[in-house]
Each structure stands twice: as C-alpha cells, then as structure tokens.
Amino acid sequence: MAPVKAPVRELELLLAQANAKLQAQEQIGEQLRTYLDKITTGSASSRVGD
C-alpha cells in the first residue's frame, strides 16, 4: 500500500493549490467589482452635477 500513498498525497497537494488559486481569483474578482462599482458610482454622481 505504501506506493499508493505518494500519488494520493501529491493529488491532495495539487487540490489544495487549486483551491488556494481559486480563492485568490474570487477575491480579486470581488475587489475588481467593488472598484468598478466605485468608479461607476463616482462617474454617475459627477455627471449629475454637470
């Protein structure tokens, strides 16, 4: 059974890396949406004053 443990551990590490990457991408997406919302809201309010 020992030879099977190494590939399983490697797959677990790859899965952990993929999950971390996904979380980072989701966080970046969330920050980007917030930033774009701020820009859009700021642009809209500045146009109202024109």
Side-chain angles (χ1 to χ4, degrees):
M1 270 308 206
V4 175
K5 286 185 180 182
V8 169
R9 183 67 180 140
E10 186 176 339
L11 289 174
E12 289 173 341
L13 290 173
L14 289 173
L15 180 59
Q17 289 175 339
N19 283 334
K21 185 176 179 180
L22 177 61
Q23 286 179 341
Q25 288 174 339
E26 287 175 344
Q27 185 178 11
I28 290 169
E30 197 173 305
Q31 292 172 347
L32 181 59
R33 280 190 292 277
T34 301
Y35 176 72
L36 292 175
D37 285 345
K38 275 186 178 180
I39 291 175
T40 304
T41 303
S43 297
S45 62
S46 66
R47 287 186 197 144
V48 170
D50 288 344

